[in-house]
Amino acid sequence: MTSLTDMYAAGGERRTFAEEFVQRAHSGNWETAKDHWTRVVEHFGDNVQELEKLPKSKARQEAERLALALCKTLAQAGKCWACITA
C-alpha cells in the first residue's frame, strides 16, 4: 500500500490529497491521518468481494484506488470515513 507520506513525497495530485486529508480531515495530525488512511484501504481490501477474484497485488491496488476516491471526496469537505465510523 502506498503510504500517506509517500503520496506527499510524490507531489502533484497525490501530494494535494495527502495535504487535504491531513489538514482538513485531521486538523494537521499526521499520525491519525496515516492510521486512518491505512484503515480505509484495509477496509476495502477486506470487504469488497470483487477484489477476492483478483491477484493479491492487483486487489491491493484496487483497494487503494477505491479508498483514495472516497477519502479524497470526504477530505475536501473536512471529513474522514474512519473518523465517522469510529
Side-chain angles (χ1 to χ4, degrees):
M1 164 181 16
T2 306
S3 72
L4 207 53
T5 304
D6 289 341
M7 285 188 206
Y8 183 82
E13 286 184 38
R14 288 189 167 254
R15 181 181 203 136
T16 300
F17 163 71
E19 289 173 340
E20 285 183 342
F21 193 65
V22 172
Q23 297 303 323
R24 287 183 158 183
H26 296 95
S27 301
N29 186 323
W30 271 91
E31 292 307 312
T32 300
K34 288 190 294 186
D35 176 59
H36 287 186
W37 168 248
T38 300
R39 287 175 50 195
V40 175
V41 175
E42 288 175 351
H43 177 80
F44 276 106
D46 293 343
N47 293 288
V48 176
Q49 291 180 357
E50 290 80 6
L51 299 182
E52 293 175 6
K53 301 171 188 170
L54 300 174
K56 203 170 221 176
S57 63
K58 182 68 176 164
R60 204 173 315 122
Q61 288 174 345
E62 187 64 11
E64 185 177 313
R65 186 188 70 73
L66 294 168
L68 182 61
L70 174 65
C71 289
K72 186 176 186 178
T73 300
L74 288 174
Q76 290 171 349
K79 299 183 186 301
C80 167
W81 178 87
C83 291
I84 294 167
T85 61

